[in-house]
Amino acid sequence: MTKHIANILTGCRILDSILLLFFPVFSVAFYIIYLFCGFSDMIDGTIARKTNSTSKFGSQLDTIADLVFVVVSLSKLLTAIHMPLWLWIWGGVIAVIKISNIIWGYVSKKQFISLHTIMNKVAGILLFLLPLTISFVELKYTAIIVCSIATFSAIQEGVYVVVDSESK
């Protein structure tokens, strides 16, 4: 049972992410579930390493859980906040880079590649914290920081994917 705790926690993140759909954005219940999802994302990998239960399946499940959480969170948050056009465009550019990295990784390696770089983690943490800051810091200021780091992270990831695929 101990060897499955990390994957169970990751699976709970998927279910809790979907549960977010049923609560109003910025409500206490939304924040509690949102914070649980973030906390579970931070500890599932640590638990897997401590219990010697890391696996390719667990890594892929974590990526799927991250994707579900991001899609649900964005679908809720983007309808509740006003974003200027420049932020929509910048976010779209980041998404195109990230999707291109995934496609290039799949084409060159014939497998889904998910890199857990330090910059990806920093960008993820900042993106996660962003909705928690909206009530006291203007979005235009925090978004510049988050988007700058996310852009750097996406480009860095692309470089790693291309260099790794060319070296083989």
Side-chain angles (χ1 to χ4, degrees):
M1 178 65 175
T2 305
K3 292 208 175 249
H4 302 288
I5 291 174
N7 287 345
I8 291 169
L9 192 57
T10 304
C12 287
R13 184 164 73 256
I14 294 170
L15 296 175
D16 286 341
S17 296
I18 293 167
L19 190 60
L20 281 173
L21 291 169
F22 300 99
F23 293 95
V25 178
F26 308 124
S27 68
V28 172
F30 181 87
Y31 276 130
I32 289 170
I33 297 167
Y34 184 85
L35 288 169
F36 172 79
C37 289
F39 180 71
S40 69
D41 187 30
M42 288 188 285
I43 65 168
D44 59 356
T46 302
I47 290 171
R49 286 185 291 280
K50 295 279 184 190
T51 59
N52 199 27
S53 59
T54 58
S55 66
K56 184 175 180 178
F57 171 77
S59 177
Q60 290 175 337
L61 185 64
D62 183 62
T63 299
I64 291 166
D66 291 347
L67 180 64
V68 172
F69 178 62
V70 167
V71 168
V72 169
S73 296
L74 286 176
S75 71
K76 294 291 285 190
L77 292 163
L78 292 178
T79 60
I81 60 174
H82 169 73
M83 284 185 22
L85 180 60
W86 64 265
L87 188 51
W88 283 103
I89 292 169
W90 200 348
V93 168
I94 295 167
V96 167
I97 295 169
K98 297 286 283 180
I99 291 167
S100 298
N101 294 343
I102 292 169
I103 292 169
W104 181 255
Y106 188 79
V107 167
S108 65
K109 295 266 194 172
K110 305 295 186 250
Q111 65 182 6
F112 176 75
I113 296 175
S114 175
L115 300 177
H116 295 277
T117 65
I118 291 172
M119 286 309 297
N120 270 345
K121 290 181 185 295
V122 170
I125 289 168
L126 291 176
L127 187 59
F128 173 76
L129 293 174
L130 189 63
L132 304 173
T133 66
I134 287 176
S135 63
F136 58 90
V137 179
E138 282 190 61
L139 179 63
K140 64 182 176 183
Y141 301 119
T142 53
I144 289 171
I145 295 166
V146 174
C147 286
S148 296
I149 291 172
T151 302
F152 176 80
S153 171
I155 292 169
Q156 179 191 47
E157 180 182 63
V159 169
Y160 287 162
V161 169
V162 169
V163 167
D164 188 50
S165 66
E166 289 177 354
S167 67
K168 304 246 173 186

